């Protein structure tokens, strides 16, 4: 099923600022909240939350702007996609509506349970790594080893954070303290995190000394990544599940690779096409010649026709860069630069003077020019 454009869901432009996206989300979330008797709509409410979760995250927004919803679907190059279950809508909405979110006389709860959101599995943090590449590494692909400090599951407590777990006596294992307040408008229900267990619903008699109760520890990791052919500056790839460890059994975060490609001494790039300026002498341009030129895959002999003009362009099909996630390659364009010599011998000057007697009267371009003289 095709999803609606996230920008359309929030009613903002693709150039919207973070503040504009936040304001639009706040307005729509209140409008579609299921407890709103007039305009409440649970499906719309979740749709708005999902759109905000993507567009409010700089890394996910960049992926979405490049590839749309396809960036978050499973498969392709070994990079798995976005899962709506990764979004904690409760956390997002509580950012705006405070601890009383879910009230209005009974409340609304995603997932159909009353457990604290801090007990649910939480995805680990994502990491963004900028990788510098040479022109050739980007053109042909390569392998790189990246070094990261990532949260890893504590080996001592296996991610639990402590030992001898028991149910929190304060909240009874829910992680929340619920209080009710009556007013002229009805009963308002307020939920706050349990201060005894911090919303976890359980306590430990002994806290893990290695991780300090967090369940995770910082560890250095070396990760080898395969960079495909044809990447360019600003292009991003996502390595799924190789980021920081999750919480409460949640999945690991992702690693985003962003590339910065160095320029080349003679090749210029525009997407998958490359351009090469080839210098010609005046005689070569006039008489034509065969000239050896470099390409990305080795030298080739190019036949230059007589009368070649300055800035004339020739296409070498398929001699460009590989197209990312597509079949085929770009093209290479050879642009001729006719070089006028600045130092001539006396004999050469005499030849040029003889050549200067050549008339251009039969040349179409000269005929058009002469009409205005």
């Amino acid at each position: 099923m095709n999803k609606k454009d996230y920008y359309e869901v929030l009613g903002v432009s693709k150039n919207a600022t973070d503040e504009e996206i936040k304001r639009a989300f706040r307005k729509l979330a209140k409008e579609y909240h299921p407890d709103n008797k007039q305009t409440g709509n649970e499906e719309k409410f979740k749709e708005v939350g999902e759109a905000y979760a993507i567009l409010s995250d700089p890394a996910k927004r960049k992926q979405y702007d490049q590839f749309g919803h396809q960036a978050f679907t499973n498969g392709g190059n070994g990079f798995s996609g976005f899962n709506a279950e990764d979004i904690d809508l409760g956390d997002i909405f509580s950012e705006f509506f405070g601890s009383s979110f879910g009230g209005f006389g009974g409340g609304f709860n995603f997932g159909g349970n009353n457990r604290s959101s801090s007990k649910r599995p939480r995805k680990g943090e994502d990491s963004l790594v900028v990788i510098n590449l040479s022109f050739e590494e980007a053109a042909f692909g390569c392998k790189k080893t990246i070094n990261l400090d990532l949260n890893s599951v504590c080996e001592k407590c296996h991610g639990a954070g402590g030992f001898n777990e028991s149910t929190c006596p304060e909240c009874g294992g829910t992680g929340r303290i619920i209080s009710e307040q009556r007013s002229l408008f009805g009963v308002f229900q307020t939920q706050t995190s349990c201060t005894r267990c911090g919303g976890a619903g359980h306590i430990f008699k002994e806290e893990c000394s290695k991780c300090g109760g967090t369940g995770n520890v910082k560890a250095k990791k070396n990760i080898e990544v395969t960079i495909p052919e044809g990447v360019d500056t600003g292009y991003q790839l996502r390595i799924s599940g190789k980021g920081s460890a999750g919480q409460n059994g949640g999945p690991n975060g992702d690693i985003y690779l962003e590339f910065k490609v160095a320029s080349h001494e003679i090749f210029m790039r525009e997407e998958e096409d490359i351009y090469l300026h080839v210098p010609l002498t005046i005689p070569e341009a006039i008489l034509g010649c065969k000239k050896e030129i470099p390409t990305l895959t080795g030298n080739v002999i190019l036949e230059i026709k007589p009368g070649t003009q300055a800035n004339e362009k020739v296409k070498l099909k398929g001699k460009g860069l590989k197209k990312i996630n597509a079949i085929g390659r770009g093209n290479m364009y050879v642009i001729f630069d006719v070089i006028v010599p600045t130092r001539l011998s006396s004999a050469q000057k005499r030849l040029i003077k003889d050549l200067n007697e050549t008339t251009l009267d039969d040349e179409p371009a000269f005929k058009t020019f002469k009409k205005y003289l």
Side-chain angles (χ1 to χ4, degrees), residues 2-111:
N2 292 329
K3 286 189 175 184
K4 286 185 65 176
D5 182 273
Y6 285 141
Y7 291 100
E8 290 183 9
V9 170
L10 295 183
V12 297
S13 71
K14 292 192 175 181
N15 298 321
T17 64
D18 292 341
E19 185 58 33
E20 288 171 335
I21 289 172
K22 186 178 291 186
R23 282 201 304 267
F25 166 72
R26 184 186 292 115
K27 177 183 175 183
L28 293 172
K30 288 181 179 179
E31 179 181 351
Y32 293 126
H33 192 287
D35 285 328
N36 187 327
K37 303 301 182 183
Q38 295 180 331
T39 59
N41 185 314
E42 182 178 339
E43 290 305 315
K44 284 280 189 182
F45 190 50
K46 290 184 178 181
E47 187 179 66
V48 166
E50 182 178 324
Y52 178 74
I54 296 298
L55 299 185
S56 63
D57 184 303
K60 288 186 174 69
R61 183 177 180 181
K62 188 164 187 177
Q63 286 286 96
Y64 179 72
D65 287 344
Q66 280 187 296
F67 306 109
H69 291 289
Q70 188 177 357
F72 307 113
T73 56
N74 290 330
N77 291 327
F79 302 105
S80 68
F82 167 77
N83 189 330
E85 293 180 358
D86 293 340
I87 302 174
D88 186 350
L89 293 177
D91 283 354
I92 292 172
F93 294 122
S94 65
E95 176 187 347
F96 298 103
F97 307 128
S99 61
S100 62
F101 167 70
F104 298 111
F108 179 77
N109 190 337
F110 288 100

Side-chain angles (χ1 to χ4, degrees), residues 80 123 126 221 238-244 251-255:
S80 68
K123 183 181 177 182
D126 295 337
K221 286 190 177 181
R238 186 173 73 135
I239 307 176
S240 178
K242 294 295 185 179
S244 289
N252 289 354
D254 304 323
I255 297 175

Side-chain angles (χ1 to χ4, degrees), residues 298-316:
N299 293 354
V300 298
I301 303 298
L302 186 64
E303 189 165 342
I304 299 166
K305 68 181 190 305
T308 293
Q309 303 297 311
N311 295 320
E312 194 169 324
K313 187 164 62 176
V314 172
K315 180 172 76 173
L316 302 182

